[in-house]
Amino acid sequence: MGKLILSHVAKRFGKVEAVKDLSLTVENGELLTVVGPSGCGKTTLLRMIAGFILPDGGSISLNGRVLVDPMSRAFPLMPEERDVGMVFQSYAVWPHMNVSENVGYPLKVRKMGKAETKEKVSATLKTVHLDGYENRMAHELSGGQQQRVALARALIMKPDLLLLDEPLSNLDAALREEMRSEIKEIQRELGISIINVTHDQTEAMTMSDKVAVMDQGSLIQFDTPYNLYEDPENSFVAKFIGSANIIPAARSSEAIDQDGMIRVTIEGDYTLKVPHKEGGKEGLLAVRSHHIQPHEGSALRGTITGKLYHGNQTEYQVQLKGGTMLRVSVPGSYTGNPGESMGMEITKAVWLDN
């Protein structure tokens, strides 16, 4: 299937740089998720790959075939020439066609014979677990079933690359979870390369082989879900992926111990060890809420300002004496109330320069 290479891709709309000098590679059979806040350039990037928007700079190639390169004299390939399938956020399931007609429409456009079309439609519907639904009309389908129809229509031409533009955003929580599993199953079964655009962090972390985090048109970090969570590039990534606490800190020693750790201090008198990174004396710590545990004898203390019960755990909002607000997730057995003091131990943190 498709190996996609984007090299220094850029797109400007008037004075706005929607995508800035972006380079990345999606390997064969890999699922990449692109995440970032609204307006960061995610959908623009997807549409340039699909061929609906032409980049102002850089090149895009799939399986060694150049799709577009503004610096060359070659005409960019049209969307239908790129071997790329796309599923839109709105699904775009035609209401006047039944399931079979919707899925088989790309084959009809290419004037494929009825017998072959029927065979391919049947096989594709089986892939997305819609066999037996051939004659259902769009209004007779649930949201998840309409999503599968849109997915089948994108897959029926056996594209080298599948693009998903927030395909699960219109589904309820249970259906989103079901469709995440369906898409991963299809990826494994077909070995297809997929690029998924989403706002949903859970979707990005659970589905993806790689995740690209974007902000204001730039690629901030491109890595595995594990590395993004455990070793964020900066405070933006730390807060966007997993909602880490960001705490001002200072290096209390430049000495690196045998485990590759250095000592840092927060709130003036609380010291802990973190993995060594090059950087200045002043910086930030990224700390996940479940890496802070109540400990009455600790020098790190704050005032509980709020609490949210989640069943197996309770999330506390705690304000440190310096004004920093923390989210602390602890087992339901711990009881604390707003206005009370909480002593805390940080069990794991990552040093950030910004």
Side-chain angles (χ1 to χ4, degrees), residues 45-206:
L45 179 65
L46 207 67
R47 290 174 178 268
M48 284 193 288
I49 297 168
F52 303 142
I53 299 175
L54 295 179
D56 296 321
S59 65
I60 303 173
S61 64
L62 181 61
N63 281 339
R65 188 172 60 134
V66 176
L67 305 183
V68 59
D69 182 355
M71 296 301 292
S72 75
R73 294 186 178 183
F75 288 106
L77 295 182
M78 298 298 289
E80 63 271 18
E81 300 173 319
R82 297 191 175 202
D83 292 327
V84 173
M86 186 163 182
V87 178
F88 298 91
Q89 183 178 358
S90 62
Y91 313 151
V93 175
W94 291 297
H96 63 288
M97 296 181 184
N98 63 26
V99 167
S100 182
E101 291 166 338
N102 263 284
V103 174
Y105 185 77
L107 305 181
K108 181 180 178 181
V109 170
R110 288 161 177 79
K111 302 187 184 305
M112 183 174 288
K114 289 184 178 180
E116 189 177 358
T117 295
K118 184 177 180 180
E119 181 181 341
K120 287 183 176 292
V121 168
S122 178
T124 307
L125 288 177
K126 188 174 182 179
T127 298
V128 299
H129 306 294
L130 276 182
D131 39 326
Y133 285 77
E134 288 84 355
N135 296 317
R136 295 279 186 95
M137 300 301 291
H139 68 273
E140 298 175 315
L141 302 174
S142 68
Q145 289 166 344
Q146 289 187 43
Q147 177 65 280
R148 288 187 178 92
V149 170
L151 194 56
R153 190 173 56 205
L155 290 171
I156 198 164
M157 293 303 298
K158 297 189 181 302
D160 288 335
L161 176 68
L162 179 63
L163 306 178
L164 307 176
D165 188 5
E166 301 198 48
L168 310 183
S169 61
N170 294 328
L171 304 179
D172 61 36
L175 275 176
R176 280 201 301 273
E177 186 173 348
E178 180 182 341
M179 284 306 302
R180 282 198 292 264
S181 298
E182 295 280 358
I183 291 170
K184 283 298 293 181
E185 183 181 336
I186 288 168
Q187 182 205 12
R188 285 191 293 267
E189 182 179 336
L190 301 181
I192 192 171
S193 303
I194 298 175
I195 300 181
N196 177 42
V197 161
T198 184
H199 284 89
D200 190 326
Q201 294 179 34
T202 301
E203 188 178 318
M205 298 297 282
T206 57

Side-chain angles (χ1 to χ4, degrees), residues 150-313:
L151 194 56
R153 190 173 56 205
L155 290 171
I156 198 164
M157 293 303 298
K158 297 189 181 302
D160 288 335
L161 176 68
L162 179 63
L163 306 178
L164 307 176
D165 188 5
E166 301 198 48
L168 310 183
S169 61
N170 294 328
L171 304 179
D172 61 36
L175 275 176
R176 280 201 301 273
E177 186 173 348
E178 180 182 341
M179 284 306 302
R180 282 198 292 264
S181 298
E182 295 280 358
I183 291 170
K184 283 298 293 181
E185 183 181 336
I186 288 168
Q187 182 205 12
R188 285 191 293 267
E189 182 179 336
L190 301 181
I192 192 171
S193 303
I194 298 175
I195 300 181
N196 177 42
V197 161
T198 184
H199 284 89
D200 190 326
Q201 294 179 34
T202 301
E203 188 178 318
M205 298 297 282
T206 57
M207 289 177 60
S208 312
D209 299 303
K210 294 282 185 64
V211 178
V213 183
M214 293 184 66
D215 186 37
Q216 298 181 15
S218 296
L219 180 63
I220 307 301
Q221 189 169 352
F222 177 51
D223 215 325
T224 63
Y226 178 87
N227 287 341
L228 282 174
Y229 190 85
E230 296 293 337
D231 192 15
E233 184 76 18
N234 56 29
S235 59
F236 174 82
V237 176
K239 287 187 286 187
F240 196 84
I241 301 293
S243 302
N245 295 294
I246 305 298
I247 309 172
R251 295 175 189 257
S252 55
S253 171
E254 293 297 329
I256 305 171
D257 68 17
Q258 60 183 9
D259 296 320
M261 308 288 277
I262 59 169
R263 288 191 174 275
V264 300
T265 301
I266 63 174
E267 291 288 295
D269 56 0
Y270 180 78
T271 302
L272 69 153
K273 288 184 176 183
V274 300
H276 172 258
K277 282 187 177 180
E278 297 294 336
K281 184 173 177 57
E282 303 291 327
L284 303 168
L285 291 186
V287 185
R288 304 295 177 185
S289 62
H290 57 279
H291 289 150
I292 306 176
Q293 298 299 318
H295 189 283
E296 276 308 305
S298 175
L300 181 64
R301 304 195 67 84
T303 302
I304 299 172
T305 61
K307 61 188 292 187
L308 297 170
Y309 179 66
H310 293 290
N312 64 336
Q313 64 181 23

Side-chain angles (χ1 to χ4, degrees), residues 15-36:
K15 295 182 178 180
V16 177
E17 289 184 276
V19 176
K20 306 173 185 176
D21 193 29
L22 188 146
S23 298
L24 59 80
T25 298
V26 182
E27 299 293 343
N28 293 328
E30 198 168 60
L31 196 158
L32 165 69
T33 297
V34 185
V35 298

